[in-house]
Amino acid sequence: MRRKQPVLVQEGLSWRVLFLGWIGLLLHGAWICGLIAGAVSLLLGLLPFVTWPIVILLHVVLATFTTELRTWELKLHGAILTSIVPAYNRDAALLRWLDHHAEAMS
């Protein structure tokens, strides 16, 4: 049986999603949430009374909840949330995770 590799999800505001919106979610690998948000964005664009503040608000909401959206989508694909690893960057988080899960090294 093949073991699944760990997936690190950064907590906090996603600048990529803040500037790119639903395309940023797609780039993060959150396909379901990204496509749903894209459909909502396109539908909002068809309405004549929608102004830029509503689109900006959608981007802010998506950027704020990117961590929860990515975690939800990973759970849909069978991932298991094990622990939260505080670190300054991705490499430090992976090293800390490997320190506590030495059996994953083999």
Side-chain angles (χ1 to χ4, degrees):
M1 182 174 162
R2 187 175 152 205
R3 288 186 169 206
K4 294 184 179 183
Q5 297 296 323
V7 177
L8 302 174
V9 178
Q10 181 181 358
E11 290 189 350
L13 183 84
S14 172
W15 291 99
R16 182 184 300 171
V17 177
L18 183 64
F19 291 116
L20 298 177
W22 61 274
I23 296 172
L25 282 173
L26 293 177
L27 293 175
H28 275 301
W31 291 95
I32 297 170
C33 298
L35 291 175
I36 291 171
V40 169
S41 294
L42 291 175
L43 287 175
L44 285 175
L46 294 175
L47 299 175
F49 57 86
V50 174
T51 59
W52 280 104
I54 294 175
V55 174
I56 292 171
L57 179 66
L58 179 65
H59 284 216
V60 169
V61 168
L62 288 175
T64 303
F65 293 105
T66 299
T67 303
E68 287 79 11
L69 294 171
R70 288 186 68 202
T71 305
W72 172 74
E73 205 160 318
L74 286 170
K75 287 179 184 178
L76 283 178
H77 291 120
I80 300 169
L81 179 65
T82 57
S83 61
I84 295 175
V85 181
Y88 290 108
N89 58 26
R90 182 183 176 95
D91 294 334
L94 187 58
L95 284 174
R96 279 190 170 189
W97 187 85
L98 288 172
D99 282 344
H100 294 288
H101 298 86
E103 70 276 359
M105 294 290 289
S106 59

XYZ file of all heavy atoms in Angstrom:
842
model
N 0.832 -1.181 0.000
C 0.000 0.000 0.000
C 0.880 1.249 0.000
O 1.800 1.381 0.784
C -0.901 -0.020 1.237
C -1.834 1.134 1.305
S -2.959 0.891 2.698
C -3.533 2.520 2.865
N 0.602 2.145 -0.881
C 1.386 3.362 -1.012
C 0.904 4.409 -0.021
O -0.282 4.679 0.089
C 1.239 3.880 -2.422
C 2.129 5.035 -2.707
C 2.012 5.430 -4.158
N 2.317 6.846 -4.216
C 1.903 7.656 -5.130
N 1.136 7.210 -6.077
N 2.215 8.918 -5.116
N 1.841 5.004 0.683
C 1.490 6.049 1.641
C 1.309 7.367 0.918
O 1.998 7.670 -0.042
C 2.586 6.210 2.685
C 2.637 5.087 3.635
C 3.630 5.389 4.702
N 3.463 4.398 5.730
C 3.775 4.582 6.972
N 4.273 5.711 7.356
N 3.597 3.638 7.843
N 0.389 8.162 1.429
C 0.162 9.484 0.855
C 1.183 10.460 1.412
O 1.568 10.389 2.569
C -1.247 9.965 1.168
C -2.306 9.138 0.492
C -3.663 9.714 0.755
C -4.696 8.881 0.036
N -6.036 9.427 0.192
N 1.617 11.360 0.554
C 2.574 12.377 0.951
C 1.859 13.464 1.761
O 0.686 13.732 1.542
C 3.212 13.008 -0.288
C 4.014 12.026 -1.108
C 5.208 11.497 -0.359
O 5.860 12.217 0.392
N 5.497 10.223 -0.531
N 2.578 14.099 2.691
C 1.947 15.179 3.458
C 1.684 16.396 2.572
O 2.444 16.702 1.656
C 2.984 15.497 4.538
C 4.276 15.029 3.979
C 3.950 13.849 3.115
N 0.591 17.064 2.852
C 0.245 18.298 2.152
C 0.217 19.406 3.188
O -0.492 19.315 4.183
C -1.133 18.177 1.458
C -1.499 19.491 0.799
C -1.138 17.041 0.468
N 0.998 20.424 2.954
C 1.053 21.552 3.872
C 0.147 22.658 3.352
O 0.243 23.058 2.202
C 2.489 22.072 3.993
C 3.520 21.052 4.475
C 4.910 21.656 4.415
C 3.204 20.607 5.879
N -0.747 23.128 4.206
C -1.668 24.201 3.851
C -1.330 25.406 4.722
O -1.427 25.346 5.941
C -3.143 23.778 4.068
C -4.078 24.925 3.733
C -3.474 22.546 3.236
N -0.931 26.481 4.076
C -0.562 27.692 4.808
C -1.808 28.370 5.358
O -2.800 28.531 4.659
C 0.175 28.645 3.885
C 0.609 29.914 4.557
C 1.318 30.846 3.584
O 1.499 30.523 2.430
N 1.709 31.996 4.081
N -1.734 28.761 6.620
C -2.852 29.473 7.230
C -2.668 30.968 7.018
O -1.563 31.463 6.893
C -2.930 29.162 8.726
C -3.351 27.745 8.993
C -3.632 27.503 10.460
O -3.323 28.370 11.294
O -4.173 26.438 10.757
N -3.784 31.656 6.990
C -3.735 33.105 6.828
C -4.270 33.543 5.480
O -4.764 32.753 4.679
N -4.155 34.833 5.233
C -4.660 35.434 4.007
C -3.817 34.992 2.817
O -2.598 34.985 2.879
C -4.611 36.961 4.121
C -5.177 37.726 2.945
C -6.689 37.836 3.105
C -4.564 39.088 2.868
N -4.473 34.616 1.737
C -3.774 34.238 0.514
C -3.725 35.439 -0.419
O -4.739 35.875 -0.945
C -4.498 33.077 -0.165
O -3.928 32.831 -1.432
N -2.526 35.944 -0.631
C -2.365 37.108 -1.504
C -2.676 36.755 -2.951
O -3.188 37.574 -3.705
C -0.952 37.671 -1.377
C -0.723 38.290 -0.042
C -0.087 37.728 1.024
C -1.164 39.571 0.397
N -0.103 38.579 2.090
C -0.751 39.731 1.728
C -1.871 40.600 -0.211
C -1.012 40.874 2.459
C -2.127 41.739 0.507
C -1.702 41.871 1.828
N -2.363 35.534 -3.332
C -2.653 35.087 -4.690
C -4.148 35.128 -4.977
O -4.589 35.594 -6.027
C -2.112 33.668 -4.892
C -2.312 33.141 -6.285
C -1.849 31.710 -6.399
N -0.430 31.619 -6.073
C 0.217 30.475 -5.922
N -0.415 29.342 -6.039
N 1.493 30.454 -5.651
N -4.948 34.656 -4.020
C -6.399 34.656 -4.199
C -6.947 36.074 -4.075
O -7.912 36.431 -4.763
C -7.075 33.707 -3.189
C -8.576 33.745 -3.313
C -6.574 32.278 -3.399
N -6.334 36.903 -3.256
C -6.793 38.286 -3.116
C -6.684 39.036 -4.443
O -7.590 39.764 -4.824
C -5.995 39.013 -2.038
C -6.412 40.445 -1.740
C -7.834 40.490 -1.179
C -5.443 41.098 -0.788
N -5.586 38.827 -5.168
C -5.396 39.553 -6.418
C -6.004 38.854 -7.627
O -6.480 39.509 -8.551
C -3.901 39.810 -6.666
C -3.317 40.798 -5.704
C -2.330 40.421 -4.820
C -3.768 42.108 -5.670
C -1.794 41.331 -3.929
C -3.243 43.027 -4.787
C -2.254 42.635 -3.906
N -6.004 37.517 -7.645
C -6.486 36.789 -8.809
C -7.896 36.238 -8.650
O -8.497 35.790 -9.629
C -5.534 35.638 -9.149
C -4.105 36.037 -9.513
C -3.265 34.801 -9.738
C -4.081 36.930 -10.721
N -8.412 36.213 -7.427
C -9.770 35.707 -7.198
C -9.847 34.204 -7.377
O -9.002 33.461 -6.889
N -10.864 33.750 -8.100
C -11.093 32.312 -8.253
C -9.975 31.627 -9.021
O -9.728 30.429 -8.823
C -12.449 32.068 -8.909
C -12.601 32.654 -10.281
C -12.988 33.906 -10.601
C -12.377 31.974 -11.518
N -13.020 34.065 -11.954
C -12.654 32.895 -12.542
C -11.982 30.689 -11.857
C -12.535 32.565 -13.890
C -11.867 30.360 -13.191
C -12.144 31.291 -14.187
N -9.249 32.362 -9.853
C -8.115 31.771 -10.568
C -7.013 31.413 -9.568
O -6.324 30.401 -9.718
C -7.610 32.739 -11.658
C -8.708 32.941 -12.703
C -6.341 32.226 -12.310
C -8.423 34.010 -13.720
N -6.866 32.214 -8.519
C -5.905 31.895 -7.462
C -6.254 30.607 -6.742
O -5.375 29.839 -6.372
N -7.553 30.359 -6.549
C -7.964 29.084 -5.943
C -7.597 27.918 -6.845
O -7.160 26.860 -6.372
C -9.468 29.084 -5.667
C -9.939 29.841 -4.437
C -11.463 29.880 -4.403
C -9.406 29.212 -3.175
N -7.782 28.090 -8.144
C -7.396 27.029 -9.081
C -5.892 26.778 -9.029
O -5.449 25.627 -9.086
C -7.821 27.391 -10.503
C -9.313 27.460 -10.791
C -9.552 27.904 -12.227
C -9.981 26.130 -10.526
N -5.106 27.843 -8.912
C -3.652 27.690 -8.829
C -3.217 27.014 -7.534
O -2.175 26.367 -7.492
C -2.971 29.054 -8.974
C -3.095 29.714 -10.351
C -2.489 31.109 -10.331
C -2.447 28.857 -11.415
N -3.998 27.161 -6.474
C -3.720 26.475 -5.211
C -4.116 25.006 -5.267
O -3.780 24.241 -4.373
C -4.476 27.131 -4.049
C -3.779 28.301 -3.449
N -2.526 28.219 -2.894
C -4.157 29.588 -3.305
C -2.170 29.394 -2.440
N -3.139 30.253 -2.680
N -4.866 24.612 -6.276
C -5.303 23.225 -6.394
C -6.688 22.979 -5.846
O -7.121 21.829 -5.762
N -7.400 24.013 -5.462
C -8.769 23.877 -4.958
C -9.723 23.998 -6.148
O -10.315 25.049 -6.388
C -9.055 24.940 -3.901
N -9.851 22.920 -6.909
C -10.596 22.951 -8.168
C -12.091 23.154 -7.961
O -12.712 23.956 -8.672
C -10.347 21.659 -8.948
C -8.963 21.566 -9.445
C -7.907 20.938 -8.845
C -8.440 22.175 -10.621
N -6.776 21.113 -9.574
C -7.080 21.861 -10.678
C -9.002 22.951 -11.623
C -6.268 22.298 -11.713
C -8.193 23.382 -12.653
C -6.835 23.049 -12.689
N -12.682 22.446 -7.023
C -14.128 22.532 -6.821
C -14.507 23.945 -6.372
O -15.379 24.591 -6.961
C -14.605 21.480 -5.806
C -14.329 20.074 -6.340
C -16.076 21.646 -5.492
C -14.536 18.979 -5.325
N -13.838 24.434 -5.351
C -14.134 25.776 -4.839
C -13.815 26.846 -5.874
O -14.554 27.824 -6.016
C -13.332 26.037 -3.572
S -13.731 24.924 -2.232
N -12.731 26.670 -6.609
C -12.356 27.640 -7.624
C -13.365 27.728 -8.751
O -13.701 28.819 -9.214
N -13.863 26.577 -9.201
C -14.839 26.589 -10.285
C -16.192 27.131 -9.826
O -16.861 27.846 -10.584
C -14.988 25.189 -10.867
C -13.755 24.682 -11.634
C -13.955 23.245 -12.072
C -13.442 25.575 -12.817
N -16.579 26.829 -8.597
C -17.828 27.396 -8.065
C -17.700 28.909 -7.923
O -18.605 29.668 -8.318
C -18.207 26.728 -6.726
C -18.615 25.276 -6.959
C -19.329 27.497 -6.032
C -18.809 24.478 -5.687
N -16.575 29.371 -7.378
C -16.366 30.814 -7.240
C -16.273 31.485 -8.609
O -16.745 32.615 -8.786
C -15.105 31.087 -6.430
N -15.696 30.798 -9.585
C -15.629 31.344 -10.937
C -17.006 31.488 -11.554
O -17.296 32.487 -12.228
N -17.862 30.496 -11.330
C -19.230 30.578 -11.850
C -19.984 31.736 -11.204
O -20.698 32.480 -11.888
C -19.966 29.261 -11.602
N -19.793 31.905 -9.898
C -20.444 33.022 -9.205
C -19.915 34.354 -9.731
O -20.682 35.290 -9.960
C -20.246 32.905 -7.675
C -20.671 34.163 -6.963
C -20.996 31.702 -7.143
N -18.610 34.436 -9.958
C -18.028 35.674 -10.488
C -18.567 35.998 -11.879
O -18.874 37.155 -12.180
C -16.503 35.557 -10.560
O -15.949 35.465 -9.292
N -18.667 34.979 -12.714
C -19.189 35.218 -14.058
C -20.659 35.616 -14.034
O -21.089 36.477 -14.799
C -18.984 33.975 -14.919
C -17.526 33.660 -15.270
C -17.432 32.348 -16.026
C -16.895 34.776 -16.052
N -21.420 35.004 -13.148
C -22.831 35.391 -13.021
C -22.968 36.816 -12.493
O -23.843 37.566 -12.928
C -23.576 34.411 -12.123
C -23.860 33.029 -12.714
C -24.485 32.121 -11.666
C -24.760 33.157 -13.927
N -22.111 37.190 -11.549
C -22.138 38.569 -11.047
C -21.746 39.555 -12.139
O -22.253 40.670 -12.186
C -21.209 38.723 -9.841
C -21.686 38.137 -8.523
C -20.595 38.265 -7.478
C -22.954 38.818 -8.063
N -20.870 39.133 -13.032
C -20.457 40.012 -14.123
C -21.551 40.251 -15.140
O -21.547 41.251 -15.850
N -22.505 39.323 -15.220
C -23.614 39.490 -16.164
C -24.685 40.446 -15.659
O -25.465 40.980 -16.445
C -24.255 38.130 -16.462
C -23.382 37.126 -17.220
C -24.093 35.799 -17.348
C -22.999 37.672 -18.581
N -24.739 40.625 -14.356
C -25.751 41.518 -13.791
C -25.330 42.971 -13.987
O -24.181 43.334 -13.723
C -25.935 41.218 -12.298
C -26.415 39.795 -11.961
C -26.440 39.610 -10.468
C -27.785 39.542 -12.566
N -26.243 43.808 -14.450
C -25.861 45.194 -14.776
C -25.580 46.074 -13.555
O -24.872 47.059 -13.666
C -27.074 45.724 -15.544
C -28.208 44.876 -15.100
C -27.628 43.524 -14.768
N -26.110 45.718 -12.398
C -25.953 46.589 -11.234
C -24.751 46.228 -10.369
O -24.516 46.859 -9.346
C -27.225 46.566 -10.380
C -27.616 45.191 -9.920
C -27.074 44.653 -8.774
C -28.521 44.435 -10.653
C -27.428 43.383 -8.341
C -28.880 43.169 -10.230
C -28.334 42.645 -9.085
N -23.991 45.225 -10.761
C -22.833 44.813 -9.962
C -21.688 45.791 -10.214
O -21.335 46.086 -11.352
C -22.406 43.378 -10.322
C -21.131 43.009 -9.605
C -23.505 42.402 -9.973
N -21.130 46.284 -9.142
C -20.025 47.227 -9.245
C -18.740 46.578 -8.741
O -18.751 45.476 -8.187
C -20.327 48.497 -8.432
O -20.536 48.118 -7.071
C -21.553 49.211 -8.975
N -17.641 47.259 -8.918
C -16.346 46.737 -8.487
C -16.252 46.431 -6.992
O -15.562 45.481 -6.619
C -15.238 47.705 -8.902
C -14.894 47.533 -10.350
C -15.256 48.369 -11.367
C -14.172 46.465 -10.937
N -14.794 47.867 -12.553
C -14.117 46.692 -12.314
C -13.570 45.327 -10.433
C -13.491 45.843 -13.197
C -12.935 44.468 -11.315
C -12.897 44.732 -12.671
N -16.892 47.197 -6.113
C -16.791 46.840 -4.691
C -17.311 45.436 -4.375
O -16.777 44.762 -3.494
C -17.620 47.907 -3.989
C -17.545 49.076 -4.878
C -17.537 48.518 -6.279
N -18.313 44.977 -5.109
C -18.830 43.624 -4.854
C -17.813 42.578 -5.306
O -17.590 41.583 -4.616
C -20.198 43.432 -5.541
C -21.226 44.343 -4.890
C -20.641 41.975 -5.468
C -22.578 44.341 -5.550
N -17.174 42.822 -6.423
C -16.145 41.889 -6.910
C -14.950 41.894 -5.957
O -14.388 40.837 -5.632
C -15.724 42.270 -8.345
C -14.564 41.414 -8.817
C -16.907 42.145 -9.290
N -14.556 43.061 -5.489
C -13.445 43.152 -4.538
C -13.807 42.456 -3.233
O -12.975 41.753 -2.642
C -13.063 44.628 -4.308
C -12.448 45.201 -5.582
C -12.114 44.783 -3.134
C -12.234 46.691 -5.560
N -15.036 42.614 -2.787
C -15.488 41.930 -1.572
C -15.432 40.416 -1.744
O -15.009 39.699 -0.826
C -16.904 42.377 -1.216
C -17.524 41.723 0.019
C -16.754 42.145 1.267
C -18.990 42.079 0.134
N -15.805 39.912 -2.906
C -15.720 38.475 -3.180
C -14.273 37.998 -3.108
O -13.990 36.954 -2.512
C -16.325 38.158 -4.546
C -16.289 36.695 -4.965
C -17.158 35.853 -4.042
C -16.725 36.538 -6.401
N -13.353 38.779 -3.660
C -11.936 38.417 -3.594
C -11.425 38.405 -2.155
O -10.668 37.509 -1.766
C -11.109 39.389 -4.427
C -11.200 39.149 -5.891
N -10.135 39.320 -6.727
C -12.222 38.748 -6.689
C -10.485 39.050 -7.960
N -11.768 38.705 -7.962
N -11.836 39.381 -1.363
C -11.397 39.444 0.040
C -11.935 38.243 0.827
O -11.208 37.629 1.614
C -11.827 40.784 0.684
C -11.622 40.767 2.180
C -11.078 41.939 0.055
N -13.194 37.897 0.603
C -13.784 36.750 1.315
C -13.085 35.461 0.910
O -12.740 34.626 1.763
C -15.306 36.672 1.048
C -15.883 35.356 1.523
C -16.014 37.834 1.712
N -12.851 35.269 -0.378
C -12.153 34.062 -0.831
C -10.737 33.996 -0.279
O -10.271 32.927 0.134
C -12.117 34.010 -2.361
C -13.430 33.711 -3.066
C -13.249 33.811 -4.568
C -13.957 32.338 -2.683
N -10.030 35.125 -0.267
C -8.659 35.150 0.250
C -8.615 34.872 1.740
O -7.698 34.218 2.236
C -8.008 36.492 -0.060
N -9.616 35.347 2.471
C -9.650 35.137 3.919
C -9.900 33.677 4.264
O -9.312 33.139 5.205
C -10.735 36.027 4.549
O -10.474 37.387 4.210
C -10.754 35.876 6.051
N -10.752 33.013 3.495
C -11.128 31.642 3.807
C -10.454 30.604 2.911
O -10.920 29.473 2.815
C -12.646 31.489 3.722
C -13.366 32.265 4.777
C -14.035 33.431 4.467
C -13.347 31.837 6.094
C -14.686 34.157 5.434
C -13.990 32.555 7.075
C -14.661 33.724 6.754
N -9.341 30.955 2.299
C -8.633 30.009 1.436
C -8.168 28.784 2.207
O -8.268 27.657 1.715
C -7.431 30.705 0.762
O -7.913 31.779 -0.023
C -6.673 29.746 -0.115
N -7.677 28.968 3.423
C -7.213 27.833 4.223
C -8.339 26.841 4.468
O -8.161 25.630 4.286
C -6.655 28.327 5.574
O -5.608 29.255 5.327
C -6.153 27.173 6.411
N -9.496 27.325 4.869
C -10.626 26.438 5.136
C -11.124 25.767 3.859
O -11.474 24.584 3.871
C -11.767 27.221 5.801
C -11.503 27.597 7.239
C -10.598 28.804 7.389
O -10.333 29.491 6.365
O -10.131 29.051 8.504
N -11.132 26.508 2.755
C -11.582 25.931 1.493
C -10.637 24.827 1.013
O -11.077 23.758 0.576
C -11.705 27.016 0.420
C -12.787 28.071 0.641
C -12.654 29.189 -0.376
C -14.158 27.431 0.590
N -9.331 25.069 1.113
C -8.361 24.050 0.695
C -8.413 22.825 1.613
O -8.330 21.690 1.152
C -6.958 24.636 0.697
C -6.735 25.614 -0.438
C -5.319 26.070 -0.501
N -4.475 24.948 -0.889
C -3.174 24.898 -0.630
N -2.584 25.874 0.018
N -2.466 23.858 -1.009
N -8.557 23.044 2.917
C -8.647 21.927 3.860
C -9.897 21.099 3.592
O -9.836 19.866 3.596
C -8.656 22.459 5.307
O -7.512 23.270 5.514
C -8.653 21.317 6.304
N -11.012 21.752 3.334
C -12.258 21.040 3.032
C -12.102 20.200 1.771
O -12.511 19.044 1.729
C -13.390 22.043 2.871
C -14.660 21.446 2.382
C -15.519 20.662 3.092
C -15.217 21.549 1.073
N -16.580 20.286 2.309
C -16.411 20.821 1.056
C -14.807 22.197 -0.083
C -17.207 20.708 -0.076
C -15.595 22.098 -1.205
C -16.784 21.358 -1.195
N -11.470 20.764 0.763
C -11.311 20.039 -0.484
C -10.333 18.869 -0.338
O -10.527 17.815 -0.944
C -10.854 20.986 -1.587
C -11.250 20.477 -2.926
C -11.273 21.537 -3.987
O -11.735 22.655 -3.740
O -10.826 21.212 -5.080
N -9.303 19.034 0.462
C -8.390 17.918 0.715
C -9.091 16.792 1.466
O -8.843 15.616 1.206
C -7.167 18.403 1.500
C -6.152 19.218 0.701
C -5.126 19.836 1.630
C -5.483 18.342 -0.338
N -9.978 17.145 2.408
C -10.747 16.123 3.118
C -11.671 15.375 2.172
O -11.904 14.185 2.324
C -11.550 16.739 4.256
C -10.706 17.143 5.433
C -11.571 17.762 6.523
C -10.735 18.253 7.672
N -11.573 18.893 8.703
N -12.222 16.077 1.175
C -13.060 15.411 0.176
C -12.278 14.364 -0.612
O -12.826 13.351 -1.021
C -13.650 16.432 -0.806
C -14.809 17.268 -0.335
C -15.219 18.237 -1.438
C -15.982 16.403 0.048
N -10.996 14.621 -0.808
C -10.147 13.694 -1.554
C -9.498 12.636 -0.667
O -8.624 11.901 -1.130
C -9.080 14.465 -2.322
C -9.640 15.271 -3.446
N -9.504 16.631 -3.507
C -10.362 14.924 -4.530
C -10.110 17.075 -4.580
N -10.648 16.061 -5.220
N -9.874 12.577 0.599
C -9.395 11.521 1.478
C -8.228 11.871 2.373
O -7.690 10.998 3.040
N -7.822 13.108 2.407
C -6.715 13.508 3.273
C -7.188 13.550 4.726
O -8.359 13.782 5.011
C -6.173 14.867 2.867
N -6.259 13.327 5.627
C -6.555 13.327 7.051
C -5.757 14.448 7.703
O -4.537 14.531 7.537
C -6.181 11.978 7.693
C -6.977 10.855 7.042
C -6.416 12.008 9.192
C -6.492 9.474 7.411
N -6.444 15.309 8.439
C -5.776 16.396 9.147
C -5.111 15.805 10.384
O -5.781 15.278 11.275
C -6.784 17.473 9.541
C -6.237 18.655 10.308
C -5.262 19.436 9.435
C -7.347 19.548 10.776
N -3.776 15.869 10.435
C -3.061 15.270 11.559
C -2.722 16.287 12.629
O -3.085 16.127 13.773
C -1.774 14.570 11.082
O -0.958 15.512 10.395
C -2.102 13.404 10.179
N -2.020 17.322 12.244
C -1.619 18.305 13.249
C -1.297 19.624 12.566
O -1.052 19.679 11.368
C -0.393 17.809 14.031
O 0.685 17.616 13.133
N -1.274 20.650 13.360
C -0.881 21.966 12.874
C 0.588 22.157 13.212
O 1.013 21.928 14.347
C -1.741 23.066 13.512
C -3.193 22.894 13.058
C -1.217 24.439 13.154
C -4.156 23.839 13.725
N 1.367 22.540 12.226
C 2.807 22.694 12.401
C 3.163 24.163 12.222
O 3.149 24.669 11.103
C 3.581 21.837 11.367
C 5.065 21.982 11.568
C 3.154 20.394 11.444
N 3.445 24.869 13.321
C 3.826 26.279 13.181
C 5.270 26.396 12.699
O 6.169 25.727 13.208
C 3.666 26.831 14.591
C 3.831 25.646 15.477
C 3.349 24.460 14.709
N 5.487 27.227 11.690
C 6.839 27.441 11.164
C 6.853 28.735 10.364
O 5.811 29.280 10.015
C 7.263 26.269 10.290
N 8.063 29.201 10.061
C 8.213 30.454 9.329
C 7.989 30.285 7.833
O 7.543 31.190 7.164
C 9.602 31.051 9.560
C 9.771 31.562 10.961
C 10.578 30.906 11.865
C 9.104 32.701 11.375
C 10.727 31.374 13.149
C 9.237 33.174 12.660
C 10.055 32.509 13.541
O 10.182 32.968 14.806
N 8.368 29.123 7.293
C 8.200 28.895 5.864
C 7.900 27.412 5.609
O 7.835 26.608 6.533
C 9.424 29.354 5.070
C 10.703 28.661 5.510
O 10.685 27.552 6.034
N 11.816 29.331 5.295
N 7.732 27.061 4.348
C 7.347 25.709 3.964
C 8.408 24.676 4.343
O 8.085 23.603 4.845
C 7.079 25.684 2.461
C 6.639 24.365 1.942
C 6.466 24.440 0.431
N 6.137 23.166 -0.110
C 4.897 22.761 -0.346
N 3.892 23.541 -0.060
N 4.688 21.573 -0.841
N 9.671 24.987 4.100
C 10.741 24.032 4.398
C 10.851 23.764 5.896
O 11.027 22.615 6.324
C 12.074 24.546 3.865
C 12.094 24.617 2.348
O 11.333 23.850 1.710
O 12.863 25.425 1.804
N 10.749 24.801 6.709
C 10.810 24.622 8.158
C 9.618 23.816 8.660
O 9.762 22.977 9.555
C 10.861 25.973 8.857
N 8.439 24.032 8.073
C 7.257 23.270 8.479
C 7.425 21.803 8.120
O 7.069 20.917 8.902
C 6.010 23.845 7.821
N 7.961 21.524 6.930
C 8.173 20.134 6.529
C 9.198 19.454 7.422
O 9.018 18.303 7.815
C 8.608 20.078 5.071
C 8.718 18.697 4.458
C 7.388 17.954 4.557
C 9.171 18.787 3.015
N 10.268 20.155 7.793
C 11.260 19.573 8.698
C 10.660 19.295 10.075
O 10.925 18.241 10.674
C 12.466 20.498 8.829
C 13.428 20.499 7.651
C 14.498 21.557 7.850
C 14.056 19.136 7.468
N 9.853 20.204 10.587
C 9.201 19.970 11.885
C 8.242 18.790 11.814
O 8.157 17.996 12.735
C 8.437 21.203 12.336
C 9.295 22.234 12.966
C 8.426 23.281 13.594
N 9.244 24.143 14.406
C 8.757 25.045 15.219
N 7.465 25.200 15.325
N 9.550 25.797 15.932
N 7.493 18.686 10.708
C 6.559 17.576 10.557
C 7.314 16.252 10.494
O 6.909 15.274 11.119
C 5.720 17.760 9.290
C 4.647 16.737 9.176
C 3.417 16.797 9.733
C 4.718 15.492 8.480
N 2.712 15.666 9.426
C 3.489 14.844 8.656
C 5.707 14.871 7.720
C 3.219 13.611 8.098
C 5.442 13.639 7.168
C 4.206 13.020 7.363
N 8.436 16.215 9.774
C 9.232 14.994 9.671
C 9.878 14.621 10.999
O 10.090 13.434 11.272
C 10.296 15.144 8.587
C 9.774 15.126 7.160
C 10.872 15.465 6.177
C 9.166 13.780 6.836
N 10.189 15.609 11.854
C 10.737 15.314 13.175
C 9.740 14.520 14.017
O 10.120 13.625 14.782
C 11.091 16.600 13.915
C 12.384 17.198 13.444
O 13.164 16.485 12.771
O 12.631 18.385 13.732
N 8.449 14.833 13.868
C 7.436 14.163 14.671
C 6.890 12.907 14.010
O 6.230 12.100 14.665
C 6.277 15.123 14.964
C 6.684 16.270 15.837
N 6.968 16.135 17.164
C 6.896 17.567 15.538
C 7.317 17.297 17.659
N 7.293 18.191 16.689
N 7.162 12.727 12.730
C 6.658 11.558 11.993
C 7.822 10.858 11.310
O 7.918 10.830 10.080
C 5.603 11.977 10.975
C 4.398 12.610 11.583
N 4.326 13.956 11.870
C 3.234 12.074 11.983
C 3.178 14.229 12.409
N 2.474 13.103 12.491
N 8.700 10.286 12.100
C 9.904 9.654 11.557
C 9.578 8.434 10.701
O 10.326 8.068 9.800
C 10.833 9.250 12.699
N 8.435 7.782 10.954
C 8.067 6.598 10.165
C 7.764 6.940 8.722
O 7.811 6.087 7.841
C 6.863 5.871 10.784
C 5.545 6.614 10.678
C 5.318 7.641 11.778
O 6.157 7.789 12.658
O 4.267 8.295 11.726
N 7.479 8.199 8.431
C 7.221 8.616 7.054
C 8.490 8.661 6.226
O 8.415 8.713 5.000
C 6.528 9.973 7.057
N 9.624 8.650 6.878
C 10.902 8.695 6.169
C 11.185 7.405 5.419
O 11.859 7.411 4.416
C 12.053 8.988 7.140
C 12.007 10.355 7.770
S 12.360 11.654 6.621
C 14.092 11.384 6.375
N 10.670 6.288 5.901
C 11.002 5.007 5.265
C 10.175 4.738 4.031
O 9.208 5.340 3.739
C 10.794 3.879 6.253
O 9.467 3.863 6.697
